[in-house]
Amino acid sequence: MKLFLKTIKKLMVLSLILIATLLVITVVYLQHPMFGKLPIGDRLEKIKSSPNYKDGAFKNVSNTPELPEGVSMWDALSKYLFGKKNDSKPQREVPSIKTDLLSLDPNQNILIWFGHSSYFVQIDGMTILVDPVFSGSASPLPFGTKSFKGTDIYTAEELPDIDLLFISHDHYDHLDYETIKKLEPKVGKVICGLGVGAHFEHWGYDNNNIIEGDWYEKVGLSNNFNVHFTPARHFSGRGFTRNKSLWVSFVLQTPTKQIYIGGDSGYDSHFKEIGEKFGDFDLVILENGQYDEYWPNIHLLPNEILQTAKDLNAKRILPVHSSKFVLGNHPWYEPLELITQNNEKENLNIITPLIGELVDLNNANQAFSTWWRK
């Protein structure tokens, strides 16, 4: 009996040592600069004056429960970790086209998608980059959420100087520390939601070049460009704290085009409101992927994206947020396949470029292949 009690005590001591060691490792690891910085000082005071900031955190326009009624966090977590995932990753390299971004004709109005929610736009003499992730990972952990083979054909070094860098929110699949650090010498202005600028300042960006906005604020830029910060239905956070910075979408008005940059968002009334407020959009860029029945409020479901496009009066639709990372519980090709099938009745102008394929923003009749089927 004494030997048994001694063994139990030893196990308890070892367990406490292990727990304490893990806590120390976690605390030390969280000091890595990739986790960013929470807003303080004048930045925090501006946040506190926002009508969208209540009880110490930003809120969505509509009540947005993390999980549907009757679903526990364990249900969602166990499905994500242990659920069967058929074809969650492609068996072969994802096809792509390598376009030389440094030798583009500056008079061309074009868009180039890099997979997931990253893309480059050159329009009316300005260069624009949205949510760039070139590190090959969408996770703060060394072993987590690696990109598909064939999707990392571009590097930060291969990009030209960027006039405007748009960041929709601070999740790792949209705000990538490694990429942002490499881009710093090339970036003119950073445009992001309230609070996100704290990360950029922490990472060495000049605060004078960071433009942070609240929903429905407008910023006038050079060359007759205007940016409107518009709502999204999502959340934010890079560590254990959530919703200390604002998630946004953008209305970009150039001398010749009006473009909607959607970021991440579940379906809600804000899409209709944006469509009514701003009129027709030459192009809307909407998330289409990483959805699940267990988190239906923070990402568009397959049967919602076409209605969203109609709410926004879209002349042309680019579906993104797919084809690079496994962050949801669906086959990797399903988002593009379902939107294509669902569109057979609606007949909207949906474009499906390959990663790296040049999209002509002046040619609404440009045709694209169903490349994921191959």
Side-chain angles (χ1 to χ4, degrees):
M1 185 67 178
K2 289 183 179 180
L3 180 61
F4 175 74
L5 290 174
K6 285 183 178 180
T7 303
I8 293 297
K9 286 181 180 179
K10 286 182 179 179
L11 289 173
M12 290 177 65
V13 170
L14 288 172
S15 297
L16 289 172
I17 292 173
L18 179 61
I19 291 170
T21 302
L22 289 173
L23 285 172
V24 170
I25 291 172
T26 300
V27 170
V28 171
Y29 191 62
L30 285 172
Q31 304 311 305
H32 192 288
M34 71 174 150
F35 291 99
K37 208 77 170 176
L38 293 177
I40 58 173
D42 292 342
R43 180 173 276 113
L44 181 58
E45 291 307 309
K46 183 178 180 180
I47 286 172
K48 288 179 178 178
S49 68
S50 168
N52 304 302
Y53 188 82
K54 300 171 185 175
D55 302 321
F58 283 104
K59 309 290 184 183
N60 283 299
V61 174
S62 299
N63 179 43
T64 304
E66 291 186 24
L67 298 168
E69 188 175 348
V71 175
S72 69
M73 184 61 74
W74 172 249
D75 292 333
L77 188 61
S78 60
K79 180 184 177 184
Y80 182 76
L81 294 176
F82 309 116
K84 191 174 182 180
K85 296 182 180 180
N86 292 325
D87 295 330
S88 61
K89 296 181 180 180
Q91 298 300 311
R92 301 180 180 87
E93 283 194 3
V94 174
S96 61
I97 295 174
K98 190 67 176 286
T99 299
D100 185 355
L101 302 176
L102 297 175
S103 62
L104 292 170
D105 179 350
N107 296 313
Q108 282 184 297
N109 288 342
I110 57 96
L111 178 147
I112 294 171
W113 178 53
F114 300 124
H116 202 63
S117 291
S118 305
Y119 44 95
F120 170 84
V121 180
Q122 179 180 278
I123 185 165
D124 295 334
M126 295 275 267
T127 54
I128 294 163
L129 188 62
V130 179
D131 290 356
V133 178
F134 297 134
S135 68
S137 173
S139 169
L141 302 175
F143 49 81
T145 320
K146 298 297 184 181
S147 56
F148 300 157
K149 291 181 179 179
T151 61
D152 282 319
I153 63 170
Y154 288 92
T155 65
E157 291 79 8
E158 293 173 313
L159 268 68
D161 288 344
I162 302 299
D163 295 312
L164 306 174
L165 172 61
F166 285 84
I167 300 295
S168 62
H169 61 297
D170 69 359
H171 286 159
Y172 296 97
D173 59 321
H174 295 258
L175 180 58
D176 180 48
Y177 167 73
E178 183 179 315
T179 301
I180 295 302
K181 285 291 290 181
K182 289 179 179 178
L183 286 173
E184 190 272 330
K186 297 186 175 187
V187 172
K189 297 290 185 183
V190 177
I191 301 177
C192 56
L194 292 176
V196 178
H199 301 311
F200 280 88
E201 191 172 7
H202 182 55
W203 295 338
Y205 278 65
D206 185 343
N207 198 44
N208 293 319
N209 295 328
I210 302 170
I211 300 172
E212 296 171 84
D214 202 350
W215 292 339
Y216 290 120
E217 283 189 348
K218 174 186 175 182
V219 175
L221 303 171
S222 60
N223 301 332
N224 293 318
F225 276 65
N226 292 311
V227 173
H228 299 261
F229 297 83
T230 44
R233 191 183 191 191
H234 201 56
F235 66 105
S236 66
R238 294 178 73 82
F240 293 118
T241 56
R242 278 190 169 192
N243 301 343
K244 299 300 183 181
S245 64
L246 186 63
W247 49 100
V248 297
S249 59
F250 304 96
V251 173
L252 172 63
Q253 295 169 329
T254 82
T256 64
K257 297 280 189 284
Q258 179 163 263
I259 298 172
Y260 179 72
I261 299 171
D264 280 3
S265 178
Y267 187 74
D268 203 5
S269 59
H270 65 280
F271 289 119
K272 187 72 172 175
E273 187 174 285
I274 292 168
E276 291 173 349
K277 183 177 179 66
F278 294 98
D280 293 348
F281 284 91
D282 298 288
L283 176 68
V284 300
I285 304 166
L286 297 173
E287 65 141 284
N288 174 50
Q290 319 320 318
Y291 46 74
D292 191 89
E293 61 184 354
Y294 282 1
W295 49 83
N297 298 316
I298 57 171
H299 288 295
L300 289 174
L301 296 174
N303 63 333
E304 295 172 331
I305 185 169
L306 295 181
Q307 181 58 54
T308 300
K310 290 192 288 186
D311 288 351
L312 290 166
N313 309 312
K315 297 178 182 178
R316 208 176 185 194
I317 305 107
L318 172 62
V320 298
H321 211 239
S322 71
S323 308
K324 189 166 185 174
F325 301 112
V326 178
L327 295 168
N329 293 307
H330 55 69
W332 76 272
Y333 53 80
E334 184 181 89
L336 290 173
E337 182 61 29
L338 287 184
I339 193 173
T340 301
Q341 291 179 10
N342 293 341
N343 193 45
E344 289 175 0
K345 292 182 180 179
E346 300 290 349
N347 200 29
L348 301 179
N349 189 0
I350 294 174
I351 62 174
T352 57
L354 289 157
I355 289 175
E357 185 174 5
L358 192 148
V359 176
D360 185 349
L361 296 177
N362 291 335
N363 181 9
N365 297 316
Q366 184 181 3
F368 298 91
S369 68
T370 52
W371 56 265
W372 59 94
R373 294 176 180 171
K374 302 173 184 178

